[in-house]
Amino acid sequence: MKMKKTLIIFCILILLIGGGYSISTFIRSGENSVEEEKELGMVGNKEETIGLDMGNTAPKFTLINTNNEKESLENYRGKNVILNFFATT
């Protein structure tokens, strides 16, 4: 009986250690610094996908503002932009 209890405790400990190791490895895999990502070639090599889906780069376009000046979306790269399209009839 004591042997069975010891075996169960041993198995539980092995599972906890293995699970903890797996979780810590998974967590550390997403913690690369920008410097590490540059060294590994993970930054700057992604192709930009242009499109209307979330996460894609917006298509380049130019519009005329209310002062009759051309405004290009490219001028606002890296900034938050809200476009309000409206029409009147």
Side-chain angles (χ1 to χ4, degrees), residues 54-87:
M54 184 177 283
N56 292 348
T57 301
K60 294 179 183 177
F61 62 90
T62 303
L63 299 172
I64 304 295
N65 66 16
T66 55
N67 296 326
N68 288 330
E69 299 168 344
K70 290 184 178 181
E71 292 283 345
S72 175
L73 185 62
E74 189 66 27
N75 297 338
Y76 298 96
R77 188 175 190 92
K79 299 177 183 175
N80 294 328
V81 177
I82 297 174
L83 297 176
N84 184 7
F85 290 101
F86 64 92

Side-chain angles (χ1 to χ4, degrees), residues 25-65:
T25 302
F26 177 74
I27 290 172
R28 275 187 276 128
S29 69
E31 291 181 350
N32 289 336
S33 68
V34 173
E35 290 81 21
E36 289 173 329
E37 290 179 356
K38 284 180 182 176
E39 288 175 10
L40 296 172
M42 297 169 68
V43 174
N45 291 337
K46 292 183 180 178
E47 278 189 37
E48 290 185 349
T49 304
I50 297 174
L52 301 178
D53 294 328
M54 184 177 283
N56 292 348
T57 301
K60 294 179 183 177
F61 62 90
T62 303
L63 299 172
I64 304 295
N65 66 16

